[in-house]
Amino acid sequence: MFSVVIPAFNCARTVIPAIESVLAQTRLDLIEEILVINDGSTDDTNAVLERYVKEQHPVPIRLFSRTNHGVSATRNFGIRKARAPWIALLDADDKWLPKKLERQYEAIRSEPKIKLLGTMYPLKILFGQKNGLIHISPQELCIRSVYWTTSVVFEKDTGLAFGLFDETMQFSEDLQFFQKFLTVDGCYVLGEDLVRIDCWKAYSGASGLSSH
């Protein structure tokens, strides 16, 4: 069902806890693989990852190491290498809560129109707070971003058809990519508390991939 794509840049102290939050999911059977792409890190990230992937894990972990290309190109590389029909994005300084993929899988099964699904809590759209599975309109997405990148899953073939992330953009490239899913009326968000954002900022600070 899901290939998890984790770009990594100078995140030696944070990337393993991020991966372990994937391995702590309640539905490991939904995860086909974890792809970690080292984007030319200058710290010990690659050495830490090489040691870790040699250990036994319940889900295959594929490690790639390349020269530095930036976050969008790194995500795109991982997405193109992925084998599963759905992509789950995770940044190396964030974490998932245990039921994250289980709840998104249930939502996808309940609504066949979903092509892109994020989670956010509290979920505030226009003039109020909402819970549950919400269909996102162009107006709502233009007024307020409701997608944390690290919470998003999307259908791989649809993302490929849209050209994935724009590698020439330095800011808001994730929102620009997500907006393309509006053209197929496939944008949804789950108003549930399922991810932790920038929980390792004390370690990564301004040197993490998201700020690179």
Side-chain angles (χ1 to χ4, degrees):
M1 178 72 179
F2 296 105
S3 288
V4 182
V5 174
I6 306 176
F9 177 75
N10 286 358
C11 54
R13 298 186 68 179
T14 67
V15 66
I16 302 306
I19 295 171
E20 291 183 339
S21 78
V22 177
L23 297 176
Q25 292 296 295
T26 54
R27 290 289 307 273
L28 282 178
D29 58 299
L30 297 174
I31 305 172
E32 186 167 326
E33 60 184 350
I34 301 169
L35 297 91
V36 186
I37 307 93
N38 173 35
D39 184 36
S41 296
T42 57
D43 65 354
D44 294 332
T45 295
N46 201 61
V48 166
L49 286 167
E50 285 184 339
R51 288 194 298 269
Y52 188 75
V53 299
K54 290 178 181 177
E55 301 172 7
Q56 289 291 110
H57 301 289
V59 174
I61 302 176
R62 301 168 63 196
L63 173 62
F64 302 89
S65 187
R66 343 189 285 157
T67 57
N68 182 262
H69 287 76
V71 61
S72 292
T74 303
R75 285 194 183 114
N76 288 347
F77 177 88
I79 293 164
R80 292 189 177 103
K81 291 286 186 181
R83 297 166 178 159
W86 282 76
I87 302 297
L89 301 175
L90 175 61
D91 286 346
D93 55 354
D94 297 333
K95 293 174 71 176
W96 291 347
L97 298 188
K99 287 194 173 183
K100 192 260 189 191
L101 282 185
E102 178 181 357
R103 295 294 297 129
Q104 289 184 300
Y105 172 73
E106 291 170 350
I108 291 166
R109 289 199 64 186
S110 72
E111 177 48 76
K113 290 177 62 179
I114 294 175
K115 299 296 182 182
L116 180 141
L117 175 64
T119 74
M120 181 173 282
Y121 186 85
L123 174 59
K124 297 180 180 180
I125 301 176
L126 294 181
F127 303 108
Q129 182 170 324
K130 298 183 180 181
N131 298 308
L133 182 63
I134 306 297
H135 176 252
I136 301 299
S137 69
Q139 179 188 19
E140 289 166 332
L141 192 54
C142 287
I143 290 175
R144 180 186 179 93
S145 175
V146 294
Y147 290 112
W148 287 327
T149 302
T150 209
S151 78
V152 165
V153 301
F154 65 89
E155 190 178 59
K156 179 183 175 181
D157 284 348
T158 303
L160 288 171
F162 291 146
L164 300 180
F165 293 90
D166 187 337
E167 299 178 13
T168 67
M169 296 179 65
Q170 292 187 328
F171 303 99
S172 301
E173 72 287 340
D174 47 358
L175 179 58
Q176 189 256 8
F177 174 56
F178 301 156
Q179 286 174 337
K180 295 177 182 178
F181 288 82
L182 293 168
T183 65
V184 293
D185 198 30
C187 289
Y188 287 76
V189 65
L190 194 58
E192 297 184 17
D193 185 19
L194 296 169
V195 299
R196 291 290 177 265
I197 305 296
D198 288 335
C199 48
W200 303 102
K201 210 172 187 66
Y203 293 148
S204 58
S207 65
L209 182 63
S210 297
S211 61
H212 172 62

